[in-house]
Amino acid sequence: MHTSIMWWSMILFWTALFSFGIYLVSNFVSGGSKKDSPFHYLNERLAKGEIDEEEYKRIKAIIKQENSTI
């Protein structure tokens, strides 16, 4: 019985470690979370109807200008 518990614990451990590794690699390849970018929030506001297309373009130009000076 003790060997069976150890066997399942080992399988669970390696599965969790493998899953965490996959998560890290996929996050690294995608460049991290894109949800924190200002463009993500800007796109959300446009999709929700909080701003119109003209305001969207104006804000987007400002963000691009600020990012190019950094």
Side-chain angles (χ1 to χ4, degrees):
M1 172 114 180
H2 183 66
T3 307
S4 177
I5 293 172
M6 287 181 58
W7 177 253
W8 285 109
S9 297
M10 189 78 112
I11 290 174
L12 182 64
F13 169 76
W14 286 109
T15 303
L17 188 64
F18 181 74
S19 299
F20 185 64
I22 295 289
Y23 167 76
L24 288 178
V25 169
S26 66
N27 197 23
F28 178 75
V29 168
S30 69
S33 178
K34 302 285 186 211
K35 291 183 178 180
D36 292 336
S37 75
F39 294 112
H40 175 77
Y41 293 115
L42 185 60
N43 290 336
E44 276 189 353
R45 289 185 65 197
L46 180 64
K48 290 178 183 177
E50 294 176 359
I51 57 175
D52 61 0
E53 191 174 346
E54 183 178 311
E55 182 74 5
Y56 173 83
K57 289 178 182 179
R58 185 183 72 76
I59 295 171
K60 187 175 179 181
I62 292 170
I63 294 171
K64 283 183 178 181
Q65 183 181 19
E66 288 178 2
N67 284 341
S68 67
T69 60
I70 294 176

